[in-house]
Amino acid sequence: TVVRISAPGTYTLSGKLDAGQIAVDLGEGAKNDPNAVVTLILDGLDITCPAAPAVMFYNVWESDTPGGPAGANVLLADGSQNFVNGSHTEEFDGALYSRMSMTLGGTGALGITADNEGLCSERHLTVNSGDITIASGNDGINTNEDGVSVATVNGGHLRITVTGETGEGDGIDSNGWLIINGGTLEAFACADSGDFGLDADLGVQINGGTVISSANPAADAGL
C-alpha cells in the first residue's frame, strides 16, 4: 500500500500500516517552486515498509539555505508516539528519506528503525526539536551531497545507535558540515568498524547543547 501525496499542504498522519509507504511527489517542476511545500504531521503513526523507505519525499521545493525553510517538513504532534520502520532501495538508503532539504521538529516522539540508514536527506537536514530515537544498520543520519550538505541540530533530544547489521555506520554522517546549536545529542557508531559517532567531511561545529559521541577504537579521526 502506497499513500501518495501529490499536492502542497499540511497532512496529519495517524494509525498503523504494516506494509506500505508514504510517498510525497509534487512533480519534477516542484524543485524550483517555493509553494511546493509539504508538511507531514505525525500524530500516532506506526508504519513499516520492509522493502523501501517508509516515508519518502521525492519532489518538493528545494531550498538553498541550510537551516532555513524547506520543502519537506515533518512535525511530531504534541504528546504523540510515532514509529517509522523502514528499509532501503539501491538509490534511497534510509527509512525516512528526502531527495530535497528537510526539517524535523515538534514536541512528540519519533522512533526510527532501519536495516540500513535511518534519517536521510540528499541536501540539507535541520532538526529543531522532538524526542527522536534512531536504531540503524548503517548511518543513523546521513546528508549526502558532497561538499554541500549541512546537517543542523538546533534542539530536541536525539539518541542514535548504529546496530551494525551492515557491518559499518556512523552515528551522523554529513558529506558537508555538521552544526550543533542546541539540544541533546547521543550518537554511537557501529561497534565493529572504524566509524565515528560524528563524521562530517567539511567539519563539525558545536556551538551549544550537550553532545555524547562514541566511535570504535579502530577509528583514527573524527569524533
Side-chain angles (χ1 to χ4, degrees):
T1 300
V2 179
V3 178
R4 301 184 186 278
I5 295 174
S6 58
T10 299
Y11 300 83
T12 299
L13 305 174
S14 61
K16 187 173 184 179
L17 182 58
D18 286 329
Q21 182 186 68
I22 296 163
V24 178
D25 192 345
L26 305 190
E28 290 294 334
K31 180 178 180 179
N32 299 314
D33 181 359
N35 295 313
V37 175
V38 170
T39 299
L40 302 180
I41 300 176
L42 309 189
D43 191 4
L45 177 70
D46 185 348
I47 182 171
T48 298
C49 186
V55 178
M56 178 76 199
F57 289 89
Y58 287 96
N59 291 292
V60 292
W61 172 58
E62 178 57 273
S63 169
D64 291 325
T65 305
N73 303 281
V74 177
L75 285 177
L76 309 175
D78 185 22
S80 65
Q81 299 284 329
N82 304 280
F83 302 94
V84 172
N85 308 296
S87 185
H88 64 286
T89 62
E90 185 175 343
E91 293 181 342
F92 307 128
D93 295 334
L96 200 167
Y97 194 99
S98 180
R99 294 183 60 218
M100 312 297 179
S101 296
M102 175 168 52
T103 69
L104 175 60
T107 56
L110 172 62
I112 297 175
T113 304
D115 62 3
N116 195 48
E117 295 181 350
L119 175 64
C120 301
S121 172
E122 291 188 12
R123 191 71 177 239
H124 308 307
L125 172 68
T126 302
V127 177
N128 291 316
S129 54
D131 185 359
I132 302 161
T133 302
I134 300 173
S136 59
N138 204 306
D139 299 334
I141 290 177
N142 190 312
T143 53
N144 58 27
E145 185 167 349
D146 292 345
V148 174
S149 288
V150 179
T152 305
V153 178
N154 291 322
H157 189 173
L158 283 80
R159 293 178 295 274
I160 302 168
T161 302
V162 179
T163 54
E165 285 91 338
T166 65
E168 61 182 346
D170 301 305
I172 297 180
D173 182 0
S174 174
N175 288 13
W177 290 97
L178 170 59
I179 300 173
I180 302 168
N181 295 318
T184 299
L185 171 61
E186 304 170 47
F188 305 105
C190 175
D192 300 318
S193 62
D195 290 293
F196 312 123
L198 308 178
D199 183 10
D201 290 353
L202 297 181
V204 178
Q205 296 181 5
I206 301 176
N207 303 315
T210 300
V211 179
I212 301 171
S213 171
S214 74
N216 181 272
D220 59 4
L223 296 173

